[in-house]
Amino acid sequence: MALNASSARALSNGLRIPMVGYGVYELPSNRQTTEMVKKALEAGYRHIDTAAMYHNETETGLGICESGIPREEIFVTTKLDDPDHGFDRTLKAFRSSLQKLGLDYVDLYLIHSPHGGAQLRTESWRAMEQLHDEGLIKSLGVSNYGVHHLEELLEVARIKPVVNQIEIHPWLDQARIVDFCQQHEIVVEAYSPLARAEKADDPTLKQVATKYGKTWAQILIRWSIQRGYVPLTKTAQASRLPSNLDVFNFAIVKEDMETLNALNEDLHLGKYHGLLRPVGGAGSMTNKFVPLGDVAEQFHYDLLRY
Ligand SMILES: NC(=O)C1=CN([C@@H]2O[C@H](COP(=O)(O)OP(=O)(O)OC[C@H]3O[C@@H](n4cnc5c(N)ncnc54)[C@H](OP(=O)(O)O)[C@@H]3O)[C@@H](O)[C@H]2O)C=CC1
Ligand SMILES: O=C1CO[C@H](CO)[C@@H](O)[C@@H]1O
């Protein structure tokens, strides 16, 4: 079933966001990005998630343009890359993203991560507010923000963030951040909602999928929707696009939601942006991470990301 008006969530600024997004991180080639974006739009997706960091905004924009679907029907997100924090850099980076996308505006612009320190983050936000005032960005948001980052932003923001995009799946419930976002009417977008396919063989997940006659991927996407999130799924296989969107004709009952909720093990599959420290120290081979404070952020960022 394709997305329609009833499969969108309300943002706190009165706009609407289609409930399932197609993420274009790491598609095998740039040419394929354009093709996949077109195929996703043909399949009914109306929400495309890219980032300057993905180096595919040009190809993504081409796919949107070549789809022939009216611009206003598509919700397009891109993100400010970490090295572009700061007022002037943000203005420049955003204009570059917009030009690459070949669009007149983006629906949502996110700070990709809080890396960089409080002052720089605040400057970036000021620049984003200006771009919002100019009508170039419809909604402002953040990504990979913890509670303390959000508190800091809410203190200074003239225009409040309407989205926090974070990694969430049943093995990583991010309960504290989710509670905070929900209290402040910040919509949670779930990235890596399929747990990057690393849990496809999980016996509990398989059992629930069998019960509903759905794929494990559909169960994870549906779980995310029923938790109130906006899942952003990625596939490089066109044949998987329709089924990843075909999640609006069934509901997971409370008992099975609870079974899936109980899978949480604080498993972070993304190890980036200096926000997390691997248990056992930098360089240890583990998927268990603990949050870092701001002071250690720069240090760890250098260790893990570049
Ligand atoms: N803000 C941030 O910091 C981040 C944002 N993101 C966003 O979230 C999006 C999705 O996240 P991502 O980390 O890619 O993870 P996902 O959880 O979407 O997993 C993608 C993996 O699942 C596989 N897959 C997809 N559909 C199916 C299916 N129906 N059956 C079997 N396997 C399937 C894909 O393989 P195949 O391609 O072969 O189908 C791929 O290996 C990104 O594209 C990006 O837009 C992601 C990470 C960080
Ligand atoms: O958006 C993203 C896609 O995944 C990357 C690697 O895990 C992240 O660094 C980045 O935040």
Side-chain angles (χ1 to χ4, degrees), residues 93-110:
F94 174 78
R95 289 182 199 283
S96 160
S97 286
L98 197 62
Q99 188 182 24
K100 285 183 182 156
L101 284 162
L103 301 176
D104 297 331
Y105 67 91
V106 299
D107 295 276
L108 179 64
Y109 195 50
L110 303 179

Side-chain angles (χ1 to χ4, degrees), residues 25 53-54 79 112 144 196 270-273 305:
Y25 177 60
M53 198 205 110
Y54 304 167
K79 312 183 191 92
H112 204 141
N144 296 300
R196 298 196 159 172
K271 318 165 184 63
Y272 31 75
H273 298 295
R305 187 131 191 261

Side-chain angles (χ1 to χ4, degrees), residues 11-220:
L11 295 171
S12 59
N13 60 4
L15 298 177
R16 292 171 74 78
I17 181 167
M19 213 177 283
V20 175
Y22 178 59
V24 297
Y25 177 60
E26 268 192 340
L27 290 172
S29 72
N30 284 355
R31 200 169 64 86
Q32 197 185 5
T33 301
T34 299
E35 283 314 302
M36 286 302 294
V37 167
K38 275 166 41 183
K39 285 183 179 154
L41 292 168
E42 268 167 36
Y45 291 77
R46 288 295 178 270
H47 177 172
I48 305 292
D49 183 85
T50 185
M53 198 205 110
Y54 304 167
H55 298 291
N56 62 12
E57 288 169 310
T58 303
E59 294 75 16
T60 300
L62 207 56
I64 291 168
C65 171
E66 288 180 1
S67 75
I69 294 170
R71 169 66 184 96
E72 62 277 13
E73 289 182 21
I74 307 173
F75 190 100
V76 183
T77 300
T78 193
K79 312 183 191 92
L80 177 75
D81 200 1
D82 294 355
D84 293 324
H85 269 296
F87 189 85
D88 290 337
R89 278 177 176 266
T90 298
L91 292 182
K92 192 168 166 218
F94 174 78
R95 289 182 199 283
S96 160
S97 286
L98 197 62
Q99 188 182 24
K100 285 183 182 156
L101 284 162
L103 301 176
D104 297 331
Y105 67 91
V106 299
D107 295 276
L108 179 64
Y109 195 50
L110 303 179
I111 291 184
H112 204 141
S113 95
H115 165 72
Q119 190 184 334
L120 270 185
R121 287 194 282 272
T122 303
E123 284 179 25
S124 302
W125 195 259
R126 293 267 175 265
M128 287 164 64
E129 288 175 329
Q130 179 175 310
L131 293 161
H132 180 277
D133 291 345
E134 290 170 21
L136 300 172
I137 304 173
K138 300 281 182 206
S139 298
L140 304 184
V142 293
S143 176
N144 296 300
Y145 265 46
V147 169
H148 70 290
H149 301 115
L150 290 166
E151 282 170 341
E152 165 199 297
L153 178 57
L154 291 173
E155 283 268 306
V156 297
R158 173 171 60 83
I159 301 173
K160 304 290 176 211
V162 296
V163 161
N164 187 17
Q165 184 182 120
I166 52 178
E167 179 182 342
I168 303 199
H169 39 71
W171 298 272
L172 176 63
D173 69 11
Q174 305 262 34
R176 197 165 158 256
I177 304 178
V178 166
D179 281 356
F180 185 90
C181 288
Q182 290 178 343
Q183 274 167 35
H184 291 84
E185 296 185 303
I186 296 170
V187 165
V188 173
E189 289 189 346
Y191 74 68
S192 307
L194 304 175
R196 298 196 159 172
E198 290 190 22
K199 292 289 188 178
D201 292 328
D202 181 284
T204 305
L205 176 60
K206 275 174 141 173
Q207 206 176 17
V208 176
T210 304
K211 173 173 171 184
Y212 288 85
K214 298 288 172 186
T215 67
W216 62 265
Q218 287 172 319
I219 294 295
L220 291 184

Side-chain angles (χ1 to χ4, degrees), residues 36 39 235-244:
M36 286 302 294
K39 285 183 179 154
T235 178
Q237 301 193 36
S239 61
R240 290 177 171 166
L241 287 168
S243 70
N244 285 358

